[in-house]
Amino acid sequence: MAGITTSELPGTCPQQSGPGPARREGRSYRRRMAYAAAGALVLSLLGTSSPAAFGADGATSASASAVNHIYVGGVLSNNLAAVNVTDDEGAAPQRVPGSPFASGYGAFVVAASPNGRFLYTVPNIDAGEILVYAVADNGQLTRVQTTKILIPGNATTMGLSFSPDGRHMYATSGTGFFDKGGIVTTYTVADNGIPSQTGQPVNIGTSSGLMMSTVSADGRNLYVSDYRQGQIVRLALGSDGTPSAPLERVPTGAGPCFPTISPDGKHFYNVNELGGNVSGFSIAADGSLTPVSGSPFAAGSTPHSVTITPDNRYMYVPNVLSHTIDGYEVQANGALTKLGNSPFPSGADGDSPARTFLSPDGKHLYAVDIASGAAPHTAKLHTFTIGADGRLTESAPAYDTGITGADGPSSVLVPGH
């Protein structure tokens, strides 16, 4: 499909100044090598030998009743797979017409605007820039044509998050793996979906290594996971969306990532990827965090995101190297109690789940693998029905996305319009 031209529309961001071509080329080369090494490590840990080429999924069209869209990128792929899923029990996922869509190589970050109208990716290996897509009602993506939206300093970006009203976007850059030191860059998002940088980036610290971030339900605080330092950093957000200097640094565990606010806005959680557990905190009126009783809570090997049902009753955490999904009952005080039948198998062929999402009605859980246990070791999408007791039962055929290395926040569910 033809791109949407927005050069004359408000909100288009001019190219940011940054390091010269030679320095940028050097960083780009180091980043490519680092991602390749990380991808090889993940695949070796999963028992695979090499990334497979992107393949066709065989589906031809989306079901007429499909209303929700799942997009999957990968650090070892240059495309986004787009899949339609429906709330109908047992319905198989279907390929979005035109999928896969070009994303640039190494789309570690895939995020959607709160209204589901726009999708954003950052192809960290090709270039440190933000790409914008319009999301059609049937799930198709159209690249929004604009001048390059570069991350300041060409830093490696590990997460994009949004204010609840969708007017502001926050990019966390400088990771625990590649770039020592971290910044948070604020963007104002125009009605056409185009982000433009607001103010100067906030420096979190030269020893930090940032991963993802999330915004409190009231839009007044930004929480950033510092993977290198094992802490959550809190910044206050002004009325114009710009963050303050760090106000609070809360110790959590080894390798914190995937910060998540509970649906009722009362509790904060993150997985500790290197520690094999989940940290939980109560959120005070000013946004400060206090550990809940019993935190951290045991998980499997390499826990890799947090998903909470809309009624705050159950939480699910995929464990990449345990090949399982842990289920918890969430207590009123925010503490977690493992379900008696947890952990649950992540798929019929022992796949390695990395991200989980809920259907809007809260009846189904979707799990996206980093890589599947069976050749060609591309990421599969699994569908589970959530029982009244929180039990997960795989209820639809696994769908091969064709994406290699679906690590980090490289997939997202967008509710149908």
Side-chain angles (χ1 to χ4, degrees), residues 285-318:
D286 65 355
S288 57
L289 302 177
T290 301
V292 302
S293 177
S295 179
F297 304 94
S301 179
T302 319
H304 217 257
S305 70
V306 174
T307 302
I308 305 172
T309 55
D311 59 4
N312 288 283
R313 186 176 180 187
Y314 299 117
M315 176 191 292
Y316 299 96
V317 173

Side-chain angles (χ1 to χ4, degrees), residues 342-359:
S342 174
F344 305 99
S346 63
D349 49 9
D351 297 335
S352 298
R355 292 299 304 274
T356 51
F357 306 101
L358 280 169
S359 60

Side-chain angles (χ1 to χ4, degrees), residues 108-112 114 151 156-164 168-175 182-187 202 204 209-217 221-227 231-237 241 243-244 256-262 268-271 283 289 305-306 355 408-409 411-412:
F108 183 84
V109 178
V110 179
I151 302 297
T156 305
T157 297
M158 301 303 289
L160 296 174
S161 62
F162 294 85
S163 59
H168 300 99
M169 180 174 72
Y170 303 95
T172 47
S173 307
T175 80
I183 59 173
V184 175
T185 307
T186 303
Y187 297 85
V202 175
I204 302 301
L210 304 187
M211 294 294 272
M212 307 87 182
S213 67
T214 192
V215 179
S216 59
N221 288 274
L222 178 72
Y223 301 96
V224 182
S225 53
D226 186 340
Y227 195 94
Q231 60 187 9
I232 299 298
V233 183
R234 180 173 69 91
L235 301 84
L237 296 176
S244 68
C257 49
F258 294 101
T260 303
I261 306 292
S262 61
F268 171 97
Y269 299 93
N270 67 269
V271 296
I283 303 175
L289 302 177
S305 70
V306 174
R355 292 299 304 274
S411 55
V412 67

Side-chain angles (χ1 to χ4, degrees), residues 109-248:
V109 178
V110 179
S113 59
N115 64 8
R117 293 292 181 180
F118 299 97
L119 194 77
Y120 303 84
T121 68
V122 183
N124 274 317
I125 294 180
D126 273 0
E129 66 174 298
I130 301 172
L131 306 183
V132 185
Y133 302 81
V135 180
D137 289 348
N138 69 349
Q140 286 184 302
L141 299 179
T142 302
R143 174 78 182 277
V144 177
Q145 300 298 330
T146 180
T147 55
K148 283 189 176 183
I149 307 168
L150 296 179
I151 302 297
N154 199 32
T156 305
T157 297
M158 301 303 289
L160 296 174
S161 62
F162 294 85
S163 59
D165 62 8
R167 296 182 181 274
H168 300 99
M169 180 174 72
Y170 303 95
T172 47
S173 307
T175 80
F177 298 115
F178 311 137
D179 300 331
K180 189 174 182 180
I183 59 173
V184 175
T185 307
T186 303
Y187 297 85
T188 297
V189 183
D191 290 342
N192 58 23
I194 301 297
S196 57
Q197 186 177 331
T198 303
Q200 295 300 309
V202 175
N203 192 331
I204 302 301
T206 57
S207 297
S208 64
L210 304 187
M211 294 294 272
M212 307 87 182
S213 67
T214 192
V215 179
S216 59
D218 61 9
R220 295 168 55 192
N221 288 274
L222 178 72
Y223 301 96
V224 182
S225 53
D226 186 340
Y227 195 94
R228 187 187 296 271
Q229 296 298 319
Q231 60 187 9
I232 299 298
V233 183
R234 180 173 69 91
L235 301 84
L237 296 176
S239 58
D240 61 352
T242 57
S244 68
L247 296 180
E248 184 180 24

